[in-house]
Amino acid sequence: MTDAHRETPTVLSPTAEAPVEGLPPGFGEGLAGKAAFLIAVAFSIFQLYIAAYGSLPSQVVRAMHVGFLLLLGFGLIANLRAKNAPAKAAFWALGVLGFATGVYNWVFYADLIRRSGFLTTPDLIVGAVLIVLVFEAARRLMGLPLAFLAFVFLAYAFAGNHLPPPFIHRGYDFAQLVDTYAFGTEGIYGTPVYVSAAYIFIFVVFAAFLERAGMIALFNDFALGLVGSWRGGPAQVCVLSSGLMGTISGSGVANVVASGQFTIPLMKRFGFRSAFAGAVEATSSMGGQIMPPVMGAVAFIMAETLNIPYAEVVKAAIIPALLYFGACFWQVYLEAGKAGLQGMAKADLPNPWDAVRRHWPLVLPLAALIYLLFAGYTPIFAGTMGLALTIVLILGTPLAALIGPLAFRIVFWLALGLAAASFMRFGVNILSLVIAGLVVACLAFKGGRETLQICIDSLAEGARNALPVGIACAIVGIVIGTLTLTGIASTFIGWIISIGENNLFLSLVLTMLTCLVLGMGIPTIPNYIITSSLAGPALLSLGVPLVVSHMFVFYFGIMADLTPPVALAAFAAAPMARESGLKIGIQATKLAVAGFVVPFMAVYTPALMLQDPGPIAAQFGYPVEVAYVVAKACMAIVLWGAAAVGFLARRMALWERFVAFAAGALLVAALPVTDEAGWALSLAWIGWHCWRARQTSATGTA
């Protein structure tokens, strides 16, 4: 191994705040920056209070959530983007106007219910202002594609009555459209905004607190120590740390930007090609969105849309997520073998279990979160309690440091843990009292005020990180409102069903292409909401299980960020890799083979997502069917990974790559006798290839 390969590994945790979508880092300077910071803190406190006590009507919470999003969003645009004072003042005015729409819904809540469908002139003005502001915020924060798509649907609602069949609708006047989009629960204040306000925001703040508490350092040290010495170690570390980060954040492109500045140069320094290094970061970061329990926040929207327990969504995602990251590990291993790269020197790497021992308290809130989710508690309760336990942990640390003897510190933590855990019996009030007591104690003792500042910063950072998700949920309400009002979704569904009656596979391919095209520049959440509204019911009508049909469109919404020509995640990695985004996208598409294969396999064998049993289960039992389907998927990934890289035990000829691909395709096909043929061809080819590799090694020939 060369000296370059023995460099001390770089710490992988970001030192700078990551940008949020279209905004630079930070809150701005001067008085305006402080105002934006305080607004972000107030936004988080409002949401946490509602999550803990839920004392406001749902419609008011949704309206205030959007109002805060607009106020903070335009405030940050003013502070970070405006070129001059008049522009800055104009953006702040838009933010205040947006917040006023939320206050209007709160003040006139009862009146708006009574006059639903018969809005007054002030109602229409407020509603129209809200729609315009949501479009402008989406354009500024999320880019043009999502705003343009929503505008197309809005224009269709206004002018679709002039189109030819089958697109024509009966027509709607201005007042009815404003009522639908700005005041009803099928428009801006629809299910996506409800989920953003009730679930997503809590988990985003939860992730911000965990990151501030040192969870990233724990993940990175653990990943470095565990897999850094493997063949292709730096890239393996990138895959594992991104998968672990996905358990608490699930923000794909932002993860690329935040961690790629460290992982990509490290991979390049150890000999990986620039395009491959960028692809590893992009693929593994986007994989965070399918990693339970958070799953890029789509899991909450899916559970709410399908009216099923959140745990059912997570259960369906577990095996595909493991296969996805397994495929990444495998191809990194093969690529390193092909290039003759080794791992990092073990002497230079941290002990993973020492990292766990040092930071083990950080795992407790995450473990509590997962327990509560699978114990049947609602996501909002689980997220709120997990966040509260994290705050208890952070606030208790400086107080524990003041206690001298180890035995007394242990007693302190046990007492604090029992007090915090008593919420399971006595409710949220007891946890609030514990936090209040810790805040008072931190104010009184040395080091406590710095810890309180960490908590305040986490509240602000969580609100800032929630901006792109919340604005996306608001703007996509325009699309959902149009689909509901005009019935155009039924036309699309009928078209897919008519094709699928003759060829289900063709329907799946068309649905996949729809997701990939829609995903060109549109984030995963709005992509999923739109495509699930259109294609989800169609696939269900064709016999695809409910959860599988929604997972299908969700997965390909994520793959859109890796698939050229747009490939947002790949282009985000391009500046750090100093390579073409298109080349990175092509490599990422190969690395993400499981993301393309698993959804199709799950449609034909739902046991892969722990859904409906098939004929194997009837004969041998459900566990046997699940094990067999997973084994098939693993073998297909092994074969296609080798075919993509061109290496297994040695370099492969073109015809060998074709045979490996064909064998994997037979295993995936799920047609009569294809399994038998696929296994026979796979085992025969692998045996022959390994025999040839040994022969070549023995004779020393190439």
Short mmCIF file of all heavy atoms in Angstrom, two decimals, residues 463-506:
data_model
loop_
_atom_site.label_atom_id
_atom_site.label_comp_id
_atom_site.label_asym_id
_atom_site.label_seq_id
_atom_site.Cartn_x
_atom_site.Cartn_y
_atom_site.Cartn_z
N ALA A 463 -35.77 24.85 12.25
CA ALA A 463 -36.77 25.61 11.48
C ALA A 463 -36.24 25.95 10.10
O ALA A 463 -36.96 25.86 9.10
CB ALA A 463 -37.15 26.87 12.23
N ARG A 464 -34.97 26.31 10.03
CA ARG A 464 -34.38 26.65 8.73
C ARG A 464 -34.33 25.43 7.80
O ARG A 464 -34.61 25.52 6.61
CB ARG A 464 -32.96 27.21 8.95
CG ARG A 464 -32.33 27.82 7.73
CD ARG A 464 -30.95 28.38 8.07
NE ARG A 464 -30.41 29.15 6.96
CZ ARG A 464 -29.79 28.63 5.91
NH1 ARG A 464 -29.62 27.33 5.84
NH2 ARG A 464 -29.34 29.41 4.94
N ASN A 465 -33.95 24.28 8.37
CA ASN A 465 -33.89 23.06 7.57
C ASN A 465 -35.26 22.60 7.11
O ASN A 465 -35.38 21.88 6.10
CB ASN A 465 -33.23 21.94 8.38
CG ASN A 465 -31.76 22.21 8.63
OD1 ASN A 465 -31.14 23.04 7.98
ND2 ASN A 465 -31.18 21.51 9.60
N ALA A 466 -36.31 22.98 7.86
CA ALA A 466 -37.67 22.57 7.49
C ALA A 466 -38.25 23.41 6.36
O ALA A 466 -39.29 23.06 5.81
CB ALA A 466 -38.59 22.65 8.71
N LEU A 467 -37.60 24.52 6.03
CA LEU A 467 -38.13 25.43 5.02
C LEU A 467 -38.41 24.76 3.67
O LEU A 467 -39.53 24.84 3.15
CB LEU A 467 -37.17 26.60 4.81
CG LEU A 467 -37.46 27.92 5.54
CD1 LEU A 467 -36.42 28.95 5.17
CD2 LEU A 467 -38.85 28.42 5.17
N PRO A 468 -37.41 24.12 3.04
CA PRO A 468 -37.67 23.56 1.71
C PRO A 468 -38.76 22.50 1.71
O PRO A 468 -39.57 22.45 0.78
CB PRO A 468 -36.31 22.98 1.29
CG PRO A 468 -35.52 22.86 2.54
CD PRO A 468 -36.01 23.91 3.45
N VAL A 469 -38.80 21.67 2.75
CA VAL A 469 -39.83 20.63 2.82
C VAL A 469 -41.21 21.26 2.97
O VAL A 469 -42.16 20.90 2.27
CB VAL A 469 -39.56 19.67 3.99
CG1 VAL A 469 -40.67 18.64 4.11
CG2 VAL A 469 -38.22 18.98 3.82
N GLY A 470 -41.33 22.23 3.87
CA GLY A 470 -42.61 22.87 4.11
C GLY A 470 -43.13 23.62 2.90
O GLY A 470 -44.32 23.52 2.54
N ILE A 471 -42.25 24.38 2.24
CA ILE A 471 -42.67 25.12 1.04
C ILE A 471 -43.06 24.16 -0.08
O ILE A 471 -44.02 24.39 -0.82
CB ILE A 471 -41.53 26.06 0.59
CG1 ILE A 471 -41.36 27.20 1.60
CG2 ILE A 471 -41.83 26.63 -0.79
CD1 ILE A 471 -42.55 28.13 1.73
N ALA A 472 -42.31 23.06 -0.22
CA ALA A 472 -42.67 22.05 -1.23
C ALA A 472 -44.05 21.47 -0.95
O ALA A 472 -44.85 21.27 -1.87
CB ALA A 472 -41.61 20.95 -1.26
N CYS A 473 -44.34 21.19 0.32
CA CYS A 473 -45.66 20.64 0.68
C CYS A 473 -46.76 21.65 0.39
O CYS A 473 -47.87 21.28 0.00
CB CYS A 473 -45.68 20.26 2.16
SG CYS A 473 -44.72 18.78 2.55
N ALA A 474 -46.47 22.95 0.59
CA ALA A 474 -47.48 23.97 0.33
C ALA A 474 -47.76 24.11 -1.16
O ALA A 474 -48.93 24.13 -1.59
CB ALA A 474 -47.03 25.31 0.92
N ILE A 475 -46.72 24.21 -1.98
CA ILE A 475 -46.93 24.43 -3.42
C ILE A 475 -47.54 23.21 -4.09
O ILE A 475 -48.33 23.33 -5.02
CB ILE A 475 -45.59 24.82 -4.10
CG1 ILE A 475 -45.82 25.27 -5.54
CG2 ILE A 475 -44.61 23.67 -4.09
CD1 ILE A 475 -46.51 26.59 -5.66
N VAL A 476 -47.22 22.02 -3.59
CA VAL A 476 -47.77 20.82 -4.21
C VAL A 476 -49.26 20.70 -3.91
O VAL A 476 -49.99 19.98 -4.60
CB VAL A 476 -47.00 19.57 -3.74
CG1 VAL A 476 -47.52 19.04 -2.40
CG2 VAL A 476 -47.05 18.47 -4.79
N GLY A 477 -49.74 21.45 -2.90
CA GLY A 477 -51.18 21.49 -2.65
C GLY A 477 -51.96 22.04 -3.83
O GLY A 477 -53.13 21.68 -4.04
N ILE A 478 -51.33 22.92 -4.63
CA ILE A 478 -51.97 23.43 -5.84
C ILE A 478 -52.23 22.29 -6.82
O ILE A 478 -53.30 22.19 -7.44
CB ILE A 478 -51.09 24.50 -6.51
CG1 ILE A 478 -50.85 25.69 -5.56
CG2 ILE A 478 -51.69 24.96 -7.83
CD1 ILE A 478 -52.07 26.52 -5.28
N VAL A 479 -51.25 21.40 -6.93
CA VAL A 479 -51.40 20.25 -7.84
C VAL A 479 -52.50 19.32 -7.34
O VAL A 479 -53.37 18.89 -8.10
CB VAL A 479 -50.06 19.50 -7.96
CG1 VAL A 479 -50.21 18.25 -8.83
CG2 VAL A 479 -48.98 20.41 -8.50
N ILE A 480 -52.47 19.00 -6.03
CA ILE A 480 -53.48 18.10 -5.47
C ILE A 480 -54.87 18.71 -5.59
O ILE A 480 -55.84 18.02 -5.92
CB ILE A 480 -53.14 17.80 -3.99
CG1 ILE A 480 -51.76 17.17 -3.86
CG2 ILE A 480 -54.20 16.89 -3.37
CD1 ILE A 480 -51.57 15.90 -4.64
N GLY A 481 -54.98 20.02 -5.33
CA GLY A 481 -56.28 20.68 -5.46
C GLY A 481 -56.82 20.61 -6.87
O GLY A 481 -58.02 20.38 -7.08
N THR A 482 -55.95 20.77 -7.86
CA THR A 482 -56.39 20.68 -9.26
C THR A 482 -56.82 19.26 -9.62
O THR A 482 -57.84 19.06 -10.28
CB THR A 482 -55.25 21.13 -10.20
OG1 THR A 482 -54.88 22.47 -9.87
CG2 THR A 482 -55.68 21.07 -11.65
N LEU A 483 -56.03 18.26 -9.18
CA LEU A 483 -56.39 16.87 -9.46
C LEU A 483 -57.75 16.54 -8.84
O LEU A 483 -58.58 15.86 -9.47
CB LEU A 483 -55.33 15.93 -8.89
CG LEU A 483 -53.94 15.99 -9.53
CD1 LEU A 483 -52.96 15.10 -8.78
CD2 LEU A 483 -54.01 15.60 -11.00
N THR A 484 -57.99 17.00 -7.62
CA THR A 484 -59.25 16.71 -6.93
C THR A 484 -60.42 17.43 -7.58
O THR A 484 -61.49 16.85 -7.78
CB THR A 484 -59.15 17.13 -5.45
OG1 THR A 484 -58.03 16.48 -4.86
CG2 THR A 484 -60.42 16.76 -4.69
N LEU A 485 -60.21 18.69 -7.93
CA LEU A 485 -61.29 19.52 -8.45
C LEU A 485 -61.70 19.13 -9.87
O LEU A 485 -62.89 19.03 -10.18
CB LEU A 485 -60.85 20.99 -8.43
CG LEU A 485 -61.92 22.05 -8.66
CD1 LEU A 485 -62.95 22.02 -7.54
CD2 LEU A 485 -61.27 23.44 -8.74
N THR A 486 -60.71 18.89 -10.73
CA THR A 486 -61.01 18.67 -12.16
C THR A 486 -61.22 17.22 -12.52
O THR A 486 -61.83 16.93 -13.56
CB THR A 486 -59.86 19.22 -13.02
OG1 THR A 486 -58.65 18.48 -12.73
CG2 THR A 486 -59.62 20.70 -12.72
N GLY A 487 -60.69 16.29 -11.72
CA GLY A 487 -60.82 14.87 -12.05
C GLY A 487 -59.87 14.40 -13.13
O GLY A 487 -60.04 13.30 -13.66
N ILE A 488 -58.84 15.22 -13.46
CA ILE A 488 -57.90 14.82 -14.51
C ILE A 488 -57.13 13.57 -14.12
O ILE A 488 -56.68 12.81 -14.98
CB ILE A 488 -56.93 15.99 -14.83
CG1 ILE A 488 -56.05 15.67 -16.03
CG2 ILE A 488 -56.08 16.32 -13.62
CD1 ILE A 488 -56.80 15.49 -17.32
N ALA A 489 -56.98 13.35 -12.81
CA ALA A 489 -56.28 12.14 -12.37
C ALA A 489 -56.99 10.89 -12.86
O ALA A 489 -56.34 9.89 -13.20
CB ALA A 489 -56.19 12.12 -10.85
N SER A 490 -58.32 10.93 -12.91
CA SER A 490 -59.08 9.76 -13.38
C SER A 490 -58.75 9.43 -14.83
O SER A 490 -58.69 8.26 -15.23
CB SER A 490 -60.58 10.02 -13.23
OG SER A 490 -60.90 10.28 -11.90
N THR A 491 -58.50 10.46 -15.64
CA THR A 491 -58.13 10.24 -17.04
C THR A 491 -56.79 9.52 -17.13
O THR A 491 -56.64 8.55 -17.88
CB THR A 491 -58.05 11.59 -17.78
OG1 THR A 491 -59.31 12.26 -17.66
CG2 THR A 491 -57.72 11.40 -19.24
N PHE A 492 -55.83 9.99 -16.34
CA PHE A 492 -54.50 9.36 -16.34
C PHE A 492 -54.59 7.93 -15.83
O PHE A 492 -53.98 7.02 -16.39
CB PHE A 492 -53.55 10.19 -15.47
CG PHE A 492 -52.14 9.69 -15.46
CD1 PHE A 492 -51.25 10.09 -16.43
CD2 PHE A 492 -51.71 8.80 -14.49
CE1 PHE A 492 -49.94 9.63 -16.43
CE2 PHE A 492 -50.41 8.34 -14.47
CZ PHE A 492 -49.52 8.75 -15.46
N ILE A 493 -55.33 7.73 -14.75
CA ILE A 493 -55.47 6.39 -14.17
C ILE A 493 -56.10 5.44 -15.18
O ILE A 493 -55.64 4.30 -15.35
CB ILE A 493 -56.33 6.47 -12.88
CG1 ILE A 493 -55.55 7.21 -11.79
CG2 ILE A 493 -56.72 5.08 -12.40
CD1 ILE A 493 -56.41 7.61 -10.61
N GLY A 494 -57.14 5.91 -15.85
CA GLY A 494 -57.79 5.06 -16.86
C GLY A 494 -56.84 4.68 -17.97
O GLY A 494 -56.88 3.54 -18.48
N TRP A 495 -55.97 5.61 -18.35
CA TRP A 495 -55.00 5.33 -19.41
C TRP A 495 -54.01 4.26 -18.97
O TRP A 495 -53.73 3.31 -19.72
CB TRP A 495 -54.28 6.64 -19.75
CG TRP A 495 -53.25 6.52 -20.83
CD1 TRP A 495 -53.43 6.08 -22.11
CD2 TRP A 495 -51.86 6.85 -20.71
NE1 TRP A 495 -52.25 6.13 -22.80
CE2 TRP A 495 -51.27 6.59 -21.97
CE3 TRP A 495 -51.08 7.36 -19.68
CZ2 TRP A 495 -49.92 6.81 -22.21
CZ3 TRP A 495 -49.73 7.58 -19.92
CH2 TRP A 495 -49.17 7.31 -21.17
N ILE A 496 -53.48 4.39 -17.76
CA ILE A 496 -52.53 3.39 -17.24
C ILE A 496 -53.21 2.02 -17.12
O ILE A 496 -52.63 0.98 -17.47
CB ILE A 496 -51.99 3.82 -15.87
CG1 ILE A 496 -51.10 5.06 -16.02
CG2 ILE A 496 -51.21 2.70 -15.20
CD1 ILE A 496 -49.78 4.81 -16.66
N ILE A 497 -54.46 2.01 -16.61
CA ILE A 497 -55.17 0.74 -16.43
C ILE A 497 -55.41 0.06 -17.78
O ILE A 497 -55.27 -1.16 -17.91
CB ILE A 497 -56.50 0.98 -15.69
CG1 ILE A 497 -56.22 1.38 -14.23
CG2 ILE A 497 -57.39 -0.26 -15.73
CD1 ILE A 497 -57.46 1.79 -13.47
N SER A 498 -55.78 0.84 -18.78
CA SER A 498 -56.05 0.25 -20.10
C SER A 498 -54.80 -0.40 -20.68
O SER A 498 -54.88 -1.42 -21.37
CB SER A 498 -56.58 1.32 -21.06
OG SER A 498 -55.59 2.31 -21.30
N ILE A 499 -53.64 0.18 -20.40
CA ILE A 499 -52.39 -0.43 -20.86
C ILE A 499 -52.06 -1.66 -20.03
O ILE A 499 -51.69 -2.72 -20.55
CB ILE A 499 -51.23 0.59 -20.77
CG1 ILE A 499 -51.48 1.75 -21.72
CG2 ILE A 499 -49.89 -0.07 -21.06
CD1 ILE A 499 -50.52 2.90 -21.56
N GLY A 500 -52.25 -1.54 -18.72
CA GLY A 500 -51.88 -2.62 -17.81
C GLY A 500 -52.75 -3.85 -17.93
O GLY A 500 -52.34 -4.95 -17.51
N GLU A 501 -53.95 -3.70 -18.46
CA GLU A 501 -54.80 -4.88 -18.65
C GLU A 501 -54.14 -5.89 -19.57
O GLU A 501 -54.34 -7.09 -19.45
CB GLU A 501 -56.15 -4.45 -19.23
CG GLU A 501 -57.06 -3.77 -18.22
CD GLU A 501 -58.33 -3.22 -18.85
OE1 GLU A 501 -58.41 -3.15 -20.09
OE2 GLU A 501 -59.23 -2.86 -18.10
N ASN A 502 -53.33 -5.39 -20.49
CA ASN A 502 -52.64 -6.26 -21.43
C ASN A 502 -51.19 -6.52 -21.04
O ASN A 502 -50.64 -7.55 -21.36
CB ASN A 502 -52.69 -5.65 -22.84
CG ASN A 502 -54.11 -5.43 -23.33
OD1 ASN A 502 -54.96 -6.30 -23.16
ND2 ASN A 502 -54.36 -4.26 -23.90
N ASN A 503 -50.58 -5.55 -20.35
CA ASN A 503 -49.16 -5.69 -20.03
C ASN A 503 -48.83 -4.87 -18.78
O ASN A 503 -48.60 -3.67 -18.86
CB ASN A 503 -48.32 -5.20 -21.22
CG ASN A 503 -46.85 -5.59 -21.08
OD1 ASN A 503 -46.33 -5.66 -19.98
ND2 ASN A 503 -46.19 -5.83 -22.20
N LEU A 504 -48.80 -5.55 -17.62
CA LEU A 504 -48.49 -4.87 -16.37
C LEU A 504 -47.09 -4.29 -16.39
O LEU A 504 -46.85 -3.17 -15.91
CB LEU A 504 -48.64 -5.84 -15.18
CG LEU A 504 -48.22 -5.31 -13.81
CD1 LEU A 504 -49.05 -4.10 -13.41
CD2 LEU A 504 -48.33 -6.41 -12.76
N PHE A 505 -46.15 -5.01 -16.97
CA PHE A 505 -44.76 -4.54 -17.00
C PHE A 505 -44.66 -3.21 -17.74
O PHE A 505 -43.94 -2.30 -17.30
CB PHE A 505 -43.87 -5.58 -17.68
CG PHE A 505 -42.42 -5.18 -17.73
CD1 PHE A 505 -41.62 -5.25 -16.59
CD2 PHE A 505 -41.85 -4.71 -18.91
CE1 PHE A 505 -40.28 -4.86 -16.63
CE2 PHE A 505 -40.52 -4.33 -18.96
CZ PHE A 505 -39.73 -4.41 -17.81
N LEU A 506 -45.39 -3.07 -18.85
CA LEU A 506 -45.36 -1.82 -19.60
C LEU A 506 -45.94 -0.68 -18.77
O LEU A 506 -45.43 0.45 -18.79
CB LEU A 506 -46.13 -1.97 -20.92
CG LEU A 506 -46.14 -0.75 -21.84
CD1 LEU A 506 -44.71 -0.33 -22.19
CD2 LEU A 506 -46.94 -1.05 -23.11
#
